[in-house]
Amino acid sequence: MSPSRFIDRYQAVLLDVCGTLMFNYDRFAEQDDHYITYTQLAGSAVSPGQLYAIIHHLHLDIMAAEQVEANFDPFPSLGEFIRNVPATQGMIEDERDRIAQVFARHECGRIPIAIADALYMLSETHPLGIISNIWSLAPAFEAELERAGVRELLYPRVWSADYGCIKPAEKLFRIA
């Protein structure tokens, strides 16, 4: 007898995050107020215009790097990208870390209640996990999973930035 639902053909479900679970992610446009996030993190060393120029530069550089197959494994870290932005030359490491946190908060999206509810329903019949390309380190994403109340439903959680590569690198799938 064949499964009645398409999903029942599979023993487990590995999900991507952005556009699948999280929405309103990659907020790197000029109208996305990065400076508010920066000041919430006690930043004051750069102006709003300088911060946007850095964030915009980072976003473009990372998107370009993702298009080059040779970069899949290894993929440069966000810290490496930040150090290569001319406007960050000579910045103290704490300030670069603050910029990385701003970037992470704007890369990370929000999980709507309807998606959280769907994950709970799906978790009743299938183990669920994550394999997702992210540029920032995982804490912002882990915090959003926790906020939405779904973190405990998703294991394994394989974040590309934690392993220095991006999908389709085989390494991520072996880890999962």
Side-chain angles (χ1 to χ4, degrees):
M1 179 182 226
S2 65
S4 59
R5 299 181 311 165
F6 173 80
I7 196 78
D8 292 331
R9 297 178 189 169
Y10 303 97
Q11 294 178 342
V13 178
L14 294 173
L15 300 162
D16 193 9
V17 174
C18 294
T20 305
L21 303 179
M22 292 182 185
F23 297 89
N24 196 25
Y25 56 90
D26 290 355
R27 297 175 320 275
F28 299 120
E30 193 167 4
Q31 69 268 17
D32 297 313
D33 198 338
H34 309 99
Y35 202 73
I36 288 175
T37 307
Y38 177 70
T39 58
Q40 289 170 346
L41 295 166
S44 63
V46 298
S47 72
Q50 290 169 317
L51 180 65
Y52 174 70
I54 292 168
I55 297 292
H56 183 68
H57 195 280
L58 286 171
H59 187 228
L60 292 178
D61 284 356
I62 293 170
M63 287 189 353
E66 278 191 323
Q67 302 306 309
V68 178
E69 187 174 338
N71 290 335
F72 294 172
D73 188 9
F75 192 79
S77 71
L78 179 59
E80 290 172 272
F81 280 106
I82 290 171
R83 284 188 293 280
N84 288 326
V85 173
T88 66
Q89 303 302 308
M91 245 183 217
I92 62 169
E93 197 61 33
D94 285 351
E95 195 60 28
R96 287 188 191 139
D97 290 344
R98 190 172 289 112
I99 289 169
Q101 290 177 49
V102 170
F103 193 92
R105 289 187 185 185
H106 285 262
E107 179 185 4
C108 187
R110 298 279 288 179
I111 300 172
I113 292 170
I115 298 296
D117 290 345
L119 288 173
Y120 270 95
M121 287 177 27
L122 188 54
S123 73
E124 292 175 3
T125 59
H126 290 78
L128 306 175
I130 291 173
I131 300 179
S132 192
N133 284 347
I134 61 173
W135 303 318
S136 307
L137 292 178
F141 292 85
E142 290 283 339
E144 177 55 17
L145 295 175
E146 188 67 35
R147 185 211 58 80
V150 297
R151 187 173 181 271
E152 71 279 359
L153 302 177
L154 300 157
Y155 182 81
R157 292 183 303 279
V158 179
W159 306 105
S160 64
D162 290 347
Y163 298 98
C165 57
I166 60 172
K167 292 184 294 184
E170 182 181 320
K171 176 181 182 179
L172 296 172
F173 295 92
R174 278 186 284 133
I175 291 166

